[in-house]
Amino acid sequence: MKFLLTSSGIKNTSIHNALVDLLGKPIAESSALCIPTAVYPFSVGPSMAYRFISGLGPNPLTELGWKSLGVLELTALPSIKRENWVAPVEEADALLVMGGDVMYLCRWMQESGLADLLPSLRETVYVGVSAGTMVTAPIFGETYDDPNKPFVIDKGLGLVDFALLPHVDHKDHPESSTANVERMARVPRQPFFPHWPWNFQGDPCDPRAEARQSQPVAAPYR
């Protein structure tokens, strides 16, 4: 699987170019499925999900001009035939994973069965935003916007071999201050990065895999 892990979506030319590079073709020739599940625990979750799917939200993903675009709702997958959702997932060029509640997203990634399928999708591009990025790590930390609370540390999906904390030093995310990044970095046993967008291609367990950081041409979140 290929990974483009962002704080807030396709916000600048550098990240846009990284997406096209990972797809191996123009976005206009590529298909995508968007996953809004992580926003539902919030009081504004339904409207946030609508804005994300419609391309009206603050985190550009669905409005990029995809050849085809569908919705993959993780909470629905256990109630339908597996073959009915596995086929479109396998056919998609990209999975667009919205941010929100990372613990809720991690739970439904696992309960839906998608987490088990992801490692087999060798050519699919996983594009994460915020919690959609954090969930890919072996471990993640969350304070739910209270910088004075201890991090809630939990296991992620382990799709990549490093942990991330998005929105570093952003004024609307005091929980993601540099001080908190340093504090959390002392907890995991994985490499830990204050979050610039990262793209990763290959199997994290394969020494031949290639990982590189996108050029930091913009702030981590804006």
Side-chain angles (χ1 to χ4, degrees), residues 3-218:
F3 295 90
L4 182 58
L5 304 177
T6 78
S7 285
S8 53
I10 312 303
K11 282 280 193 174
N12 58 49
T13 301
S14 175
I15 304 174
H16 186 279
N17 291 344
L19 174 58
V20 174
D21 182 52
L22 289 172
L23 289 168
K25 57 185 174 181
I27 294 173
E29 298 176 9
S30 304
S31 62
L33 294 175
C34 66
I35 301 176
T37 306
V39 301
Y40 294 139
F42 305 126
S43 60
V44 293
S47 61
M48 290 174 66
Y50 167 78
R51 290 173 63 82
F52 168 55
I53 294 168
S54 303
L56 302 173
N59 308 121
L61 281 182
T62 56
E63 60 267 51
L64 301 179
W66 299 95
K67 179 181 180 180
S68 67
L69 181 69
V71 179
L72 185 68
E73 176 44 58
L74 302 184
T75 60
L77 301 189
S79 64
I80 61 180
K81 291 182 178 179
R82 179 177 171 83
E83 58 266 30
N84 288 353
W85 64 264
V86 167
V89 170
E90 291 179 335
E91 292 169 3
D93 295 305
L95 299 178
L96 315 177
V97 188
M98 178 62 174
D101 186 320
V102 64
M103 298 185 77
Y104 185 80
L105 176 61
C106 191
R107 169 194 166 187
W108 281 107
M109 282 277 195
Q110 294 169 327
E111 291 194 16
S112 67
L114 182 61
D116 294 330
L117 180 65
L118 292 178
S120 69
L121 305 177
R122 304 296 298 179
E123 298 302 318
T124 306
V125 181
Y126 179 112
V127 186
V129 169
S130 191
T133 283
M134 295 169 68
V135 77
T136 64
I139 194 171
F140 58 77
E142 179 60 83
T143 64
Y144 293 99
D145 297 328
D146 186 342
N148 298 314
K149 285 185 178 179
F151 278 97
V152 176
I153 305 295
D154 208 345
K155 289 183 178 180
L157 302 180
L159 298 172
V160 298
D161 60 358
F162 50 87
L164 305 103
L165 187 67
H167 318 312
V168 64
D169 286 334
H170 189 271
K171 61 183 177 63
D172 293 335
H173 292 271
E175 76 284 0
S176 296
S177 66
T178 297
N180 271 0
V181 170
E182 293 172 348
R183 179 161 60 94
M184 185 182 173
R186 292 193 291 268
V187 178
R189 296 185 179 181
Q190 287 75 33
F192 192 86
F193 300 99
H195 190 234
W196 292 100
W198 278 75
N199 64 68
F200 185 96
Q201 183 170 357
D203 183 344
C205 298
D206 186 339
R208 295 169 298 177
E210 176 185 356
R212 63 184 177 88
Q213 188 175 15
S214 300
Q215 291 297 314
V217 297

